[in-house]
Amino acid sequence: KQEVTQIPAALSVPEGENLVLNCSFTDSAIYNLQWFRQDPGKGLTSLLLIQSSQREQTSGRLNASLDKSSGRSTLYIAASQPGDSATYLCAVRPSHGGSQGNLIFGKGTKLSVKP
Amino acid sequence: EAGVAQSPRYKIIEKRQSVAFWCNPISGHATLYWYQQILGQGPKLLIQFQNNGVVDDSQLPKDRFSAERLKGVDSTLKIQPAKLEDSAVYLCASSLGAHIGMNTEAFFGQGTRLTVV
């Protein structure tokens, strides 16, 4: 059974710091991995999607990497800003032959960026 | 392009009452998902539709939860009767497809926060 773990559960950093959020998954048979952001009381905003054949994806100050064989992904945030404060969720989509499973989520990392 | 629309945003009901949530996915998205997110947890899939057919409802508590997507576009999720442990955020998401080779990036709505008292 696929399990997704995110460490740390919460992180507080001063503005301007570069930071890394970690995601690990137990089964390497995935089709893709997606990082989301969730603001309090809101839905999920898709940040980056990495296909299983890719090693990384970049969008602005965000860079996500994927090491499928070791079951790990990281989300790197450069020059953090108070507006980056949110919960970051990692989700994997298992691969089952010709079809795909549904997104399996970690519990998230709650990020707080202090001015 | 318009995102995934959900209503209502908030709902408070007493236990044993019934409630319904509505979702309109992104235009052209064949796959629609309903997730339940309990406070402090990641979202958990309840049901997945491909057009108007159910693909996966293995984690849907069928004795009290039901969902439909009759015309393959918008969808409703119903709980009857509600229990205290159903208090959660109910998220709807959609994607173009869900098969190998298709774009499976999922986009989520704002969610409905349900409180059962």
Side-chain angles (χ1 to χ4, degrees):
Chain A
K1 177 185 173 185
Q2 178 73 270
E3 293 185 0
V4 180
T5 303
Q6 292 187 247
I7 295 173
L11 180 64
S12 182
V13 300
E15 181 177 4
E17 260 198 22
N18 302 324
L19 59 100
V20 174
L21 306 180
N22 296 293
C23 172
S24 62
F25 46 96
T26 55
D27 188 341
S28 62
I30 65 169
Y31 185 64
N32 57 39
L33 181 148
Q34 202 166 349
W35 282 94
F36 295 88
R37 168 188 173 137
Q38 186 172 33
D39 292 285
K42 301 290 180 102
L44 278 64
T45 300
S46 179
L47 298 173
L48 289 164
L49 180 146
I50 310 178
Q51 299 293 351
S52 62
S53 58
Q54 297 175 321
R55 296 285 294 182
E56 64 179 310
Q57 281 286 342
T58 299
S59 176
R61 293 182 295 109
L62 305 179
N63 177 277
S65 68
L66 174 63
D67 185 342
K68 197 175 75 161
S69 60
S70 67
R72 294 178 185 173
S73 176
T74 61
L75 179 67
Y76 175 83
I77 303 177
S80 58
Q81 303 170 359
D84 295 331
S85 298
T87 296
Y88 291 80
L89 292 154
C90 165
V92 299
R93 190 180 289 275
S95 174
H96 302 299
S99 63
Q100 303 169 40
N102 294 290
L103 287 172
I104 298 174
F105 284 84
K107 292 183 179 181
T109 294
K110 186 174 182 179
L111 173 65
S112 177
V113 181
K114 304 297 185 183
Chain B
E1 91 188 340
V4 177
Q6 288 189 250
S7 66
R9 286 296 314 279
Y10 307 94
K11 191 75 175 177
I12 301 175
I13 62 172
E14 296 182 349
K15 60 183 180 183
R16 291 188 289 274
Q17 284 188 326
S18 62
V19 64
F21 314 126
W22 175 83
C23 172
N24 192 23
I26 293 173
S27 177
H29 281 197
T31 308
L32 184 147
Y33 316 81
W34 283 102
Y35 285 85
Q36 179 192 59
Q37 185 178 26
I38 293 172
L39 188 63
Q41 303 288 318
K44 183 188 80 172
L45 180 76
L46 292 174
I47 189 167
Q48 177 191 350
F49 291 95
Q50 182 71 17
N51 296 309
N52 61 348
V54 175
V55 175
D56 184 352
D57 63 356
S58 58
Q59 299 187 81
L60 185 74
K62 298 181 184 65
D63 57 334
R64 298 183 300 106
F65 286 65
S66 64
E68 61 183 15
R69 193 186 184 199
L70 292 175
K71 296 182 179 179
V73 181
D74 55 351
S75 174
T76 56
L77 175 69
K78 297 179 182 177
I79 308 175
Q80 181 180 12
K83 293 185 176 181
L84 296 177
E85 58 261 37
D86 297 332
S87 294
V89 176
Y90 290 84
L91 296 162
C92 179
S94 69
S95 63
L96 277 171
H99 296 99
I100 298 291
M102 300 189 74
N103 185 341
T104 65
E105 185 173 7
F107 296 89
F108 283 74
Q110 291 291 296
T112 296
R113 182 176 296 277
L114 174 68
T115 303
V116 183
V117 298

